[in-house]
Amino acid sequence: QLETLEQEEQECLELTPHPTEKTTHIVSHEHGMTVTKTLQEGEAERQCLSFSYSRAKLRGLLLEGASLLLLRLLARRQTMPLDLAFPAINTEGDLCTSSY
């Protein structure tokens, strides 16, 4: 029984004259998870958006780190169950489905 407690993703684009930095921070708490997205484009004001998902919506959630562990386990067992799918959070922070 593994559970993601916290995850942070950072993306930097060195585009002249407006470098862009995107950060997504996901943290678990007793009611579910909070996703905080930050966007900094050049000298513009930093934009920040935060939203939460309830535990009920996240049942079976598979984030990036857990997905890597699952892929390694499946490769080691050399087997793939049919219709293997989990709730996930995409790069925009929206709930989606991750299918294998």
Side-chain angles (χ1 to χ4, degrees):
Q1 170 127 353
L2 299 175
E3 179 181 351
T4 300
L5 301 177
E6 191 170 359
Q7 176 175 301
E8 185 155 338
E9 296 175 17
Q10 185 174 12
E11 178 182 349
C12 297
L13 300 171
E14 297 295 330
L15 301 173
T16 305
H18 302 289
T20 302
E21 183 178 325
K22 295 179 184 179
T23 304
T24 303
H25 186 218
I26 302 171
V27 64
S28 178
H29 49 78
E30 66 180 280
H31 301 294
M33 286 192 157
T34 298
V35 178
T36 304
K37 296 178 51 86
T38 306
L39 175 64
Q40 177 73 49
E41 292 182 298
E43 299 296 321
E45 186 174 330
R46 182 179 302 260
Q47 300 173 24
C48 189
L49 175 64
S50 186
F51 46 93
S52 296
Y53 294 109
S54 69
R55 287 225 178 258
K57 285 188 175 186
L58 300 176
R59 186 168 308 281
L61 179 70
L62 194 66
L63 293 178
E64 187 176 4
S67 178
L68 289 173
L69 288 173
L70 177 62
L71 288 172
R72 287 182 180 182
L73 178 66
L74 292 172
R76 186 165 181 91
R77 290 185 177 180
Q78 297 182 352
T79 183
M80 181 60 102
L82 296 176
D83 301 325
L84 187 60
F86 296 93
I89 296 178
N90 67 17
T91 57
E92 298 303 315
D94 299 319
L95 284 177
C96 63
T97 300
S98 182
S99 301
Y100 294 84

